[in-house]
Every structure is written in C-alpha cells, then in structure tokens.
Amino acid sequence: MKKIIILTLVSAFVFIACNQSGQQKQPEVNKRDIVLSNIHSRKSVRNFVEGKTIPKEDLETLLKAGMAAPSAVNLQPWHFVVIDNRADLDSLSTKLPYAKMLTKASAAIIVCGDSAIKAGDMAFWEFDCSLVSANILLAAEAMGLGAVWTAVHPDPSRIEFVKQHLQLPDNIIPLNVIPIGYPTGEDKSKDKFKAERIHYNKW
Amino acid sequence: MKKIIILTLVSAFVFIACNQSGQQKQPEVNKRDIVLSNIHSRKSVRNFVEGKTIPKEDLETLLKAGMAAPSAVNLQPWHFVVIDNRADLDSLSTKLPYAKMLTKASAAIIVCGDSAIKAGDMAFWEFDCSLVSANILLAAEAMGLGAVWTAVHPDPSRIEFVKQHLQLPDNIIPLNVIPIGYPTGEDKSKDKFKAERIHYNKW
C-alpha cells in the first residue's frame, strides 16, 4: 500500500516536471521571423522539375495573394492570364528571350495592367502591377513553388507578341510573364544588402 | 533496493511517455499560412500612435527586407533616404497632399531609383523600386508596424519638391514616401479578390 502511494507520488511529480519542460520546448510561432525569412529566401527560380502539375487551387492562391496588393486610389488596374497548358507555355517561350524556362515550367501567370485606368491624369498600373507581382513571387516562395519575373513591358516587340498571343484588348498591357513550377533547388537567394544605399534625412 | 529499482523504472517510463506526448503537442510552424495571411492582412496604414520612436534596428530590418527584392539583370538601382526626425517629417508633409500623415508618423522611408542605371536601352528602376517597396510594406505588417505608399513619381512638382528637400542628385528619382509608425488599429485590410480578373490561356 505504502509502495503504491510512493509510486503514484513519484509518477505524478515526474509527469508534472517533464510536462513543464515540454511546454518550454514548444517553438513559438514567430510571424515576424517567418515573414522576414521568406522575403530573404525568395529567389528567382529558373530551373524547374519537369512534368509536374500545379493544382488549380494553388494557382488561385497565388492570384488571391496578388490581388491583395495596394493600388493607387484603390483602382486595382490589373488582370491576370494564367497559362496552364504545355503548348501555350512552349509557344510563348519562342519569342521571349528571357523566358526560355517556360518550356520546363508547370504554369505561368502574365500580370497585365489596364492602361486606360488613371488617377486624374496619371497612370499607376506599372507600379500597382509590380506590387501584385511581388506578392505572387513571395507567395510562391512560401508555398514551395519557384517563380521569376521575366520582363515584357516596356519592350515594344515583346508586348506586341504577348498581346497577340493572348488576344489582349488594346488598353491591356502585359507587364511580365511569371513562369511557375517546382524548384530543382539549383537557384539560390542572394544577399544584396548594401549599407551605402542608406541615407539619413538628406542624401 | 528493490523499491529503488521499481521507482527508477516507473519514473523513466513516465518521463519517456509524457515527453513523447510533449513533442506531439508542439504546434507546427506553417510558413505558407503565416506568409499568406501576412500578405492578406497588410493594409495601408494612415493613422499612427503619436510620439513613439521606431528603434533604428527595426528601420534597418525594413531596409534589408527592401534590398532582398528582385531587380532586372540584378542591377539593384535603388537608394533609400530614411527620415527619422520630427522637423523633416513635418516639413515634407507641407507639400505632399497625400502624405499629411507624416506629421503623426514616427519615421519615413523614401525609396529612390537611379534613372541612370539601364539594362541595354531600358530602365527598370520604377519596377525594381516598386518590388523593394512591396517588401518594406509587407515586412512592416509582420513587425507590427504600419506603413503606406504615398506617390511622388511621376508627379513632376512632388518629384522636384522631394529632390530639393533631400538634396538628391539629378539621376536619383524619389518614387514614393512611405510614412511608418505604430498603427492605431483604425486602418483595416480589404478583400480585393475579383474572379473576373482571371483569364485562362487567352483573354
């Protein structure tokens, strides 16, 4: 009887003790560190694992992240063309010298701006669509996908080729083509911090 | 002696058992969900708690996040002017109609582009500096700070005023002024998702 009481007390003591240490061991979810490390680990991914399909829900998650971007006077002057078939990915690559990796990408998002939408006499679609693209690139990194901004605008011949290929209305300008896929791991992020680029209060 | 052995065995058993349950209890850090929710919770913050100072390390964390942005041909055509004193924040607000909240902000970052840096005959600083600004706005949200892009470029009179105020070289163009501070909580994020902006393979 006495032995059972001692056993029970010891067990209880050990249980409480190691449960508290267990709580201390639990990692704290740190939004700040996770978001900052995602920003720093994002890289331009140009090498993709071939033959893998990105679920449509994941492509829509990227577009939802894109549409969460700020825009001048909240005009949201953006449209998206998603390329999710091999033939169009390959044919787009033929006349886009910096988008050859489309032939290995699983999909692509073309971020387009509506040049007819203006705030007063100023158009902000180039900035707004750049912010949209930043969200897409950062979301892709967080989702284990790889992506890279390949420029279309302001190159007239690339704009014309993409507009014709996608049958875009005159006022819709393709800013970039963002090939998306599963990274092979060859592409690495760069440390681009330069203290000399920072000025305080005056140049 | 026998009792000690039993006690030791029981203690060891209970310790191992509850340690395993402890490990199961640890929450899984979910990078994808945290980064996406930060993108969706980011808002343009125009209302700041007055009289609070942002630690210099936090301003530098924002700038490091900014410099992690991609840039065309990795040219990194960006510079930053940090405004961290009341007098300059207030005087900048006088001629920037959409940046009146500078008078309540704790600091500001002015993202500038070097218009002399080109890839071939094309300048990409407007896009590159927009991507930099996106990183700063998203990092601020993750750090519990509030920020908002207030446009300078392409408005000629605002560009001229800011260039003179900061004594910027001719080739350095201020893209925006980003007031930064501690949010009062009045500003909320918006759901801007519009399915009709998404097109598949053709317009």
Side-chain angles (χ1 to χ4, degrees), chain A residues 36-182:
Chain A
L36 291 173
S37 99
N38 188 68
I39 284 172
H40 287 284
S41 58
R42 184 216 53 81
K43 71 278 307 178
S44 294
V45 174
R46 298 182 172 85
N47 295 281
F48 302 112
V49 177
E50 292 184 70
K52 288 189 78 175
T53 303
I54 299 170
K56 192 168 182 175
E57 317 81 79
D58 286 352
L59 290 171
E60 284 171 356
T61 299
L62 292 173
L63 298 170
K64 283 177 179 165
M67 289 188 231
S71 70
V73 202
N74 195 27
L75 290 171
Q76 304 167 37
W78 46 62
H79 280 270
F80 304 86
V81 182
V82 178
I83 309 294
D84 63 0
N85 75 87
R86 185 79 270 141
D88 282 321
L89 289 166
D90 291 347
S91 59
L92 273 170
S93 75
T94 58
K95 291 190 176 171
L96 297 172
Y98 301 101
K100 292 301 172 200
M101 74 291 285
L102 280 167
T103 60
K104 297 183 175 185
S106 302
I109 293 173
I110 293 146
V111 179
C112 302
D114 186 338
S115 60
I117 296 180
K118 298 190 176 188
D121 59 350
M122 287 186 287
F124 288 95
W125 70 267
E126 292 163 289
F127 314 113
D128 296 341
C129 290
S130 297
L131 292 164
V132 161
S133 304
N135 280 9
I136 290 171
L137 297 173
L138 290 164
E141 173 71 25
M143 293 164 70
L145 294 166
V148 55
W149 171 314
T150 69
V152 177
H153 176 77
D155 183 288
S157 65
R158 292 182 219 163
I159 292 170
E160 192 46 38
F161 168 67
V162 173
K163 278 176 78 83
Q164 283 186 14
H165 198 290
L166 306 183
Q167 300 167 10
L168 300 179
D170 291 349
N171 57 308
I172 303 300
I173 314 295
L175 174 63
N176 55 34
V177 171
I178 302 177
I180 302 161
Y182 293 91

Side-chain angles (χ1 to χ4, degrees), chain B residues 43-166:
Chain B
K43 71 277 309 177
S44 294
V45 174
R46 298 181 171 85
N47 295 281
F48 303 111
V49 177
E50 291 184 69
K52 287 189 78 174
T53 303
I54 300 171
K56 193 168 181 175
E57 318 81 79
D58 286 351
L59 290 171
E60 283 170 357
T61 298
L62 292 173
L63 298 170
K64 283 177 179 165
M67 289 188 231
S71 71
V73 202
N74 195 26
L75 290 170
Q76 305 168 37
W78 45 62
H79 280 270
F80 305 86
V81 181
V82 179
I83 309 294
D84 63 0
N85 74 88
R86 185 79 271 141
D88 283 322
L89 290 166
D90 291 348
S91 60
L92 272 170
S93 76
T94 58
K95 290 190 175 169
L96 296 172
Y98 300 101
K100 293 299 172 202
M101 73 292 285
L102 280 166
T103 60
K104 298 183 174 184
S106 303
I109 293 172
I110 294 147
V111 179
C112 302
D114 186 337
S115 60
I117 296 180
K118 297 190 177 187
D121 59 350
M122 288 187 286
F124 288 95
W125 69 267
E126 292 163 290
F127 313 112
D128 296 341
C129 291
S130 295
L131 292 164
V132 160
S133 304
N135 280 8
I136 290 171
L137 297 173
L138 290 164
E141 173 71 25
M143 294 164 69
L145 294 166
V148 56
W149 171 314
T150 69
V152 177
H153 176 77
D155 183 289
S157 65
R158 292 184 218 163
I159 292 170
E160 192 47 37
F161 168 67
V162 174
K163 278 175 78 81
Q164 283 186 13
H165 199 291
L166 306 183

Side-chain angles (χ1 to χ4, degrees), chain A residues 4-64:
Chain A
I4 292 166
I5 294 168
I6 295 168
L7 280 176
T8 316
L9 289 173
V10 171
S11 308
F13 174 78
V14 175
F15 186 81
I16 290 159
C18 70
N19 242 20
Q20 284 171 338
S21 76
Q23 282 157 12
Q24 286 156 5
K25 265 197 264 93
Q26 294 181 9
E28 217 205 14
V29 175
N30 189 331
K31 181 181 172 181
R32 171 187 167 127
D33 292 350
I34 290 167
V35 169
L36 291 173
S37 99
N38 188 68
I39 284 172
H40 287 284
S41 58
R42 184 216 53 81
K43 71 278 307 178
S44 294
V45 174
R46 298 182 172 85
N47 295 281
F48 302 112
V49 177
E50 292 184 70
K52 288 189 78 175
T53 303
I54 299 170
K56 192 168 182 175
E57 317 81 79
D58 286 352
L59 290 171
E60 284 171 356
T61 299
L62 292 173
L63 298 170
K64 283 177 179 165

